[in-house]
Amino acid sequence: MASFSSPSPASSVDDTGLVVHASEIHKSFASQEVLKGVSLDVVRGEVVVLIGPSGSGKTTFLRCINHFEVPNSGVMQVNGHLIGTKLDRQGKRVEASAREVATQRAEIGFVFQHFNLFPNRTALENVMLGPIKVQKMPKEKARTVAIDQLTKVGLANKIDRYPAQLSGGQKQRVAIARSLAMNPALMLFDEPTSALDPEVIGEVLSVIRDLANEGMTMVIVSHEIGFAREVADRVAMFDDGQIVEIGTPQQVFDNPTQARTKAFLSKVL
């Protein structure tokens, strides 16, 4: 099955509007090829939701965007900067050092399925940590930023609670606040509701919905089809390591053109 990229809106904006530029991303684990030349452009303010069956490459691609997974080949750029590679003095693309990758990654927020909070730190301390350690922000300013972001996600009254004292939905909202405290140009969400009880999924989706309304650029892996229909500007259908269909939610969900998309949606809608 051939891979193809979207009729991307990037063609109608200049380079400063392109937040994600992924070109021919390949990734293998041992002998298994997980990504088979995935290309995707995301412009500023756009929300792209990645759907598809488990094992189709969605999460691996998301992790390649911020170099949590190292592509075997292809080019990844975020906000005009190479991710995971750099140009040497001769203009040749070479692998970046761990320190350089950390700097490249500073503009990207990543929200995991399982929160990844520090259990021995309060919600406030979890959110303050990045600005202090990575951005060298003064502690009092970091505290103000952290309180603002926790308030934004509806947790102003939980700032002194430890993760063990919070519900799953509250932990995920702390994780979102932690990413927002770094003032990212891009937010990545890896199935942010998959580890949550059904009754708290809505509170997390509400926060992401608000971010979309505010113009945050986001790439989201999600099985929440109703949510994707509501917030996505475009939906990308993954199958067997490729994007097999991409378009608006109305195009992909209501009028899919690919047999594989139709088969997948028949099981989840």
Short mmCIF file of all heavy atoms in Angstrom, two decimals, residues 27 45 102-103 203 225 243:
data_model
loop_
_atom_site.label_atom_id
_atom_site.label_comp_id
_atom_site.label_asym_id
_atom_site.label_seq_id
_atom_site.Cartn_x
_atom_site.Cartn_y
_atom_site.Cartn_z
N LYS A 27 11.20 3.95 10.38
CA LYS A 27 11.65 3.46 11.68
C LYS A 27 11.43 1.96 11.76
O LYS A 27 10.34 1.46 11.47
CB LYS A 27 10.88 4.15 12.82
CG LYS A 27 11.23 3.62 14.21
CD LYS A 27 12.67 3.86 14.59
CE LYS A 27 13.01 3.32 15.96
NZ LYS A 27 14.45 3.48 16.30
N GLY A 45 -1.28 26.46 14.78
CA GLY A 45 -2.68 26.52 15.18
C GLY A 45 -3.51 25.33 14.75
O GLY A 45 -4.69 25.25 15.09
N ALA A 102 18.17 17.80 23.49
CA ALA A 102 17.39 18.36 24.61
C ALA A 102 17.02 19.81 24.32
O ALA A 102 15.90 20.24 24.62
CB ALA A 102 18.19 18.25 25.90
N THR A 103 17.95 20.56 23.75
CA THR A 103 17.65 21.95 23.38
C THR A 103 16.62 22.01 22.28
O THR A 103 15.68 22.81 22.33
CB THR A 103 18.94 22.66 22.93
OG1 THR A 103 19.89 22.63 24.00
CG2 THR A 103 18.66 24.10 22.55
N GLU A 203 -13.09 15.35 31.54
CA GLU A 203 -12.39 16.50 32.10
C GLU A 203 -11.05 16.74 31.40
O GLU A 203 -10.61 17.88 31.26
CB GLU A 203 -12.20 16.34 33.61
CG GLU A 203 -11.32 15.20 34.05
CD GLU A 203 -11.39 14.95 35.55
OE1 GLU A 203 -12.51 14.89 36.10
OE2 GLU A 203 -10.32 14.82 36.16
N ILE A 225 -13.13 8.92 18.78
CA ILE A 225 -13.52 9.38 17.44
C ILE A 225 -14.42 10.61 17.53
O ILE A 225 -14.27 11.56 16.74
CB ILE A 225 -14.24 8.26 16.66
CG1 ILE A 225 -13.29 7.05 16.49
CG2 ILE A 225 -14.71 8.77 15.30
CD1 ILE A 225 -12.02 7.35 15.75
N ILE A 243 0.54 6.50 6.42
CA ILE A 243 -0.69 7.28 6.39
C ILE A 243 -1.43 6.88 5.12
O ILE A 243 -0.95 7.14 4.01
CB ILE A 243 -0.42 8.79 6.41
CG1 ILE A 243 0.24 9.20 7.73
CG2 ILE A 243 -1.73 9.56 6.21
CD1 ILE A 243 0.61 10.67 7.81
#
